Amino acid sequence: QVQLRESGPGLVKPSQTLSLTCSVSGGSISSGNYYWSWIRRPAGKGLEWIGRIFTSGSTSYNPSLKSRVTISLDTSKNHFSLNLSSVTAADTAVYYCARDRRFFFDFWGQGTLVTVSS
Amino acid sequence: SYELTQPPSVSVSPGQTASITCSGDKLGDKYACWYQQKPGQSPVQVIYQDTKRPAGIPERFSGSNSGNTATLTISGTQAMDEADYYCQAWDSNTGYVFGTGTKVTVL
């Protein structure tokens, strides 16, 4: 059974870069035709897809966030990462990582709350 | 950009059937899936590829997708089914799109 776990700072200052890591266990991140995605849910709002990375390293991002997002893969550590630059209070949310089966997500992390505040 | 619209809330009595709709332009031409999310928990997939149920999901959950509307049906609704439900589809221009979410209340 694949398990995912998000980690990173719970508090980020406005204009700085939010950085999170998703550690994957129970399987190699580089095996299989899987994508690996980041999703967030702001308080009181719905789910929003941020972007994804394939095992080859190719990426695709939500057009509304594309200019600020970078997702990368570290196969040696079996994890993938999210960087979101120039954050504002609107980026405060619970951030999830998930295994992406191209059209849906089958395994999710437990989520991590990131608050943007000075 | 592509959008999916759901009713904000649905109320159902225990043992009755709850139907949640998800509307989007030509949604029937795409794969739709559904997630259940309870407070403080991560989403759990209940339907994928329009009609398929992942292992461990009760048979009372079923899905359909045609035209501009996908529907999640919960038959014989139980108190444990009270949660937020999100539809989701993939659009070639926008990427993954989630619906606006529906809060299901079991009265």
Side-chain angles (χ1 to χ4, degrees), chain A residues 41 96 100 102-105, chain B residues 35 37 45 86 88 96:
Chain A
R41 183 175 181 184
Y96 300 97
D100 179 340
R102 189 177 176 193
F103 292 115
F104 58 89
F105 309 105
Chain B
Y35 301 92
Q37 187 172 30
Q45 185 180 60
Y86 293 90
Q88 173 248 297
Y96 279 113

Side-chain angles (χ1 to χ4, degrees), chain A residues 22-118:
Chain A
C22 180
S23 300
V24 179
S25 59
S28 171
I29 200 170
S30 58
S31 68
N33 287 326
Y34 299 126
Y35 294 82
W36 302 92
S37 269
W38 287 97
I39 298 130
R40 69 182 182 179
R41 183 175 181 184
K45 297 188 178 181
L47 296 166
E48 179 181 36
W49 176 68
I50 299 170
R52 72 181 184 185
I53 188 164
F54 191 49
T55 52
S56 65
S58 66
T59 55
S60 56
Y61 301 125
N62 185 324
S64 68
L65 298 170
K66 186 176 183 177
S67 63
R68 300 194 290 130
V69 175
T70 303
I71 296 175
S72 59
L73 197 66
D74 188 333
T75 56
S76 67
K77 295 181 179 178
N78 216 42
H79 74 210
F80 62 107
S81 300
L82 167 70
N83 280 349
L84 180 66
S85 64
S86 304
V87 296
T88 69
D91 295 308
T92 294
V94 176
Y95 285 76
Y96 300 97
C97 58
R99 192 173 78 169
D100 179 340
R101 299 295 300 274
R102 189 177 176 193
F103 292 115
F104 58 89
F105 309 105
D106 57 356
F107 291 102
W108 295 64
Q110 85 281 3
T112 188
L113 174 63
V114 179
T115 301
V116 179
S117 175
S118 55

Side-chain angles (χ1 to χ4, degrees), chain A residues 4-18:
Chain A
L4 300 94
R5 180 178 292 274
E6 305 89 351
S7 60
L11 181 65
V12 181
K13 289 181 168 35
S15 80
Q16 293 191 342
T17 296
L18 178 161

Side-chain angles (χ1 to χ4, degrees), chain B residues 71-91:
Chain B
T71 302
L72 173 69
T73 302
I74 311 173
S75 304
T77 306
Q78 300 182 10
M80 69 172 65
D81 301 328
E82 190 163 283
D84 292 331
Y85 290 83
Y86 293 90
C87 61
Q88 173 248 297
W90 169 267
D91 176 74

